[in-house]
Amino acid sequence: MQDNNPREPDGLQMKVTELGLVPQILMGVVLGTVTGLLFPALAESLGLLGQLFVGMLKAVAPLLVLVLVMSAIANRHESGRDGRKMMMVLALFLIGMISAALVALLLSQLFPQTIALTGPAQGAPPQAVGSVLTDVLFKLIDNPINALLTANFLGCLSWAVLLGVGFRSAPAGFRQNLQVLADGVSEIVRYVIRLAPVGIFGLVCFTVATAGVAALASYAGLALVLVTAMLVMALVINPLMVFLLTRRNPYPIVFRCLEESGITAFFTRSSAANIPVNLNLAKKLGISEELYTVSIPVGATVNMTGAAITITTLTLAAVHTLGIEVSLPAALLLCAISALSACGASGVPSGSLLLIPLACSLFGISLDVSMQVVAVGFIISVIQDSAETALNSSTDVVYTYAVDQWGRPESALPVNSD
């Protein structure tokens, strides 16, 4: 007799593939953790999957920024209100970074941490805030081909704006072809994002197999202060800023951004690699394209709330270790320097750590000692850098959404929609 239920396994497979992206990513995290713990040698090899996923995101991101912004400006009219909204987003970025530094300052003073000074880390940190800001300005005027090759998003953005403005007067057919090109690149991004569960599985495998949790044990208190400060920013300060602009319950949008942007950024540990994810999320949220196509790539470069927390917390750990007295003016200056320095933190893993010596110099801490602090940062970077990037990246979308909804009588978006 013929079996009437031969397709039961296929049904199970369909149920798995029909799950949303976030549940699939969580499954990848669990499987990656188990594989890393039970089969470390195999897990290190599987780390290649994660490296390929991050590589694909980084490869498509500069081209996506260039064509998307160029097409949006060439094909759409940008009103004065749109310009004001972009300025407000930039203001929110700055306010957020200063607020993050203040939160880190408060927690570091309430729960002072010390570190064991051992050997210096390698690297060439900047010597002044001016050099960081100068570097940002030179990125803006970079050669467009070099900007694409080196993933210089500020350079890609500046050329996209210039070309978009230049193509406003182009024939309609040409501008329509620009939109077709932008849609094609966006479709490639959607294909790459679908690979996120597999890529994150590989990243988790490698992280668990090579680092595990043993490396964090000696610096658990320092890591806890860092993560707590980032949670305060994500769950208290950011919602407050959204509420002040929208006058609506901020938590649905905050949680959605943490879910769809923060989780991916937590494992890729790269704001640059998360640009395609954020652009896709902003589109789903119904944010004005003229706004998010500019604010998201800019945010990935200059909006570093998590970096401001890292710089402030680790600098104060060095200060407490050496027994240096911190006056109120010095503490406030540290917050300002941390916020400005964070703007220069590159959108790559551990990009904020080499800015710590700059902040340490405020207290007369030598480069040798401050680079040892950097070494401690790399030890706890499994947690610190992941949480930092998740906060940085999700905040880009949260602030953009808040400004986009500013002045509207009610939300144009059900934030739980797909």
Side-chain angles (χ1 to χ4, degrees):
M1 182 180 294
Q2 189 174 12
D3 188 356
N4 292 325
N5 299 306
R7 298 187 178 274
E8 188 173 351
D10 291 343
L12 179 61
Q13 182 180 5
M14 288 183 62
K15 288 181 180 179
V16 173
T17 56
E18 288 173 0
L19 289 174
L21 182 63
V22 173
Q24 292 181 39
I25 288 175
L26 294 177
M27 290 176 62
V29 171
V30 173
L31 291 174
T33 302
V34 172
T35 304
L37 290 173
L38 299 181
F39 310 102
L42 174 63
E44 286 193 44
S45 300
L46 291 173
L48 177 63
L49 297 174
Q51 295 171 13
L52 289 173
F53 173 65
V54 174
M56 286 188 292
L57 285 173
K58 288 183 177 180
V60 75
L63 181 61
L64 176 66
V65 169
L66 181 66
V67 299
L68 201 63
V69 175
M70 180 173 59
S71 173
I73 293 177
N75 286 287
R76 292 170 177 81
H77 175 68
E78 188 174 355
S79 66
R81 182 173 174 83
D82 291 326
R84 289 194 300 272
K85 283 189 172 183
M86 187 60 220
M87 293 303 297
M88 183 171 287
V89 172
L90 293 175
L92 277 184
F93 288 165
L94 180 59
I95 293 170
M97 287 186 290
I98 293 175
S99 300
L102 288 170
V103 169
L105 171 66
L106 178 61
L107 288 177
S108 294
Q109 294 296 80
L110 290 175
F111 308 100
Q113 301 294 315
T114 58
I115 58 178
L117 299 177
T118 54
Q122 299 297 317
Q127 299 300 312
V129 177
S131 65
V132 175
L133 300 181
T134 299
D135 183 56
V136 170
L137 291 176
F138 274 101
K139 284 182 178 179
L140 282 170
I141 60 171
D142 194 9
N143 179 285
I145 304 301
N146 187 62
L148 283 172
L149 292 175
T150 60
N152 171 12
F153 291 99
L154 284 180
C156 292
L157 182 64
S158 62
W159 278 102
V161 171
L162 291 173
L163 290 171
V165 171
F167 290 148
R168 279 179 184 262
S169 57
F174 179 81
R175 288 185 281 112
Q176 185 177 2
N177 288 335
L178 286 180
Q179 185 60 49
V180 171
L181 177 63
D183 291 341
V185 177
S186 298
E187 188 65 22
I188 294 173
V189 170
R190 283 190 282 273
Y191 290 140
V192 174
I193 291 175
R194 288 176 189 172
L195 298 174
V198 177
I200 288 176
F201 164 75
L203 291 171
V204 174
C205 278
F206 183 81
T207 300
V208 173
T210 56
V213 295
L216 302 176
S218 59
Y219 293 106
L222 183 58
L224 182 61
V225 170
L226 282 165
V227 173
T228 300
M230 292 174 192
L231 288 175
V232 170
M233 273 302 300
L235 301 178
V236 179
I237 306 300
N238 283 353
L240 177 60
M241 295 173 72
V242 173
F243 174 76
L244 291 176
L245 283 176
T246 66
R247 300 295 177 180
R248 292 188 293 272
N249 179 11
Y251 285 100
I253 187 64
V254 167
F255 287 143
R256 183 167 184 189
C257 290
L258 287 172
E259 179 184 64
E260 297 199 23
S261 172
I263 289 178
T264 306
F266 184 90
F267 293 105
T268 62
R269 298 168 63 186
S270 171
S271 296
N274 219 48
I275 287 177
V277 176
N278 280 353
L279 289 172
N280 186 55
L281 174 59
K283 183 176 182 179
K284 290 195 293 182
L285 292 175
I287 299 172
S288 166
E289 188 171 357
E290 286 87 351
L291 182 61
Y292 78 74
T293 52
V294 177
S295 67
I296 296 302
V298 168
T301 304
V302 302
N303 181 35
M304 298 290 172
T305 51
I309 289 173
T310 296
I311 294 168
T312 303
T313 303
L314 288 177
T315 298
L316 288 173
V319 167
H320 292 142
T321 299
L322 298 175
I324 299 173
E325 194 71 29
V326 181
S327 64
L328 180 60
L332 296 178
L333 180 60
L334 171 62
C335 292
I337 294 298
S338 296
L340 291 174
S341 299
C343 294
S346 56
V348 296
S350 301
S352 63
L353 293 180
L354 285 179
L355 294 168
I356 291 170
L358 191 155
C360 285
S361 66
L362 292 174
F363 300 94
I365 298 174
S366 69
L367 180 61
D368 177 66
V369 172
S370 61
M371 288 305 291
Q372 293 182 52
V373 178
V374 173
V376 173
F378 279 109
I379 292 174
I380 62 173
S381 63
V382 174
I383 294 296
Q384 166 267 323
D385 197 42
S386 296
E388 175 185 312
T389 310
L391 176 61
N392 290 342
S393 195
S394 61
T395 299
D396 294 344
V397 186
V398 170
Y399 288 176
T400 301
Y401 174 87
V403 171
D404 184 66
Q405 295 297 304
W406 170 58
R408 296 188 183 185
E410 61 182 25
S411 175
L413 169 81
V415 296
N416 292 321
S417 66
D418 292 326

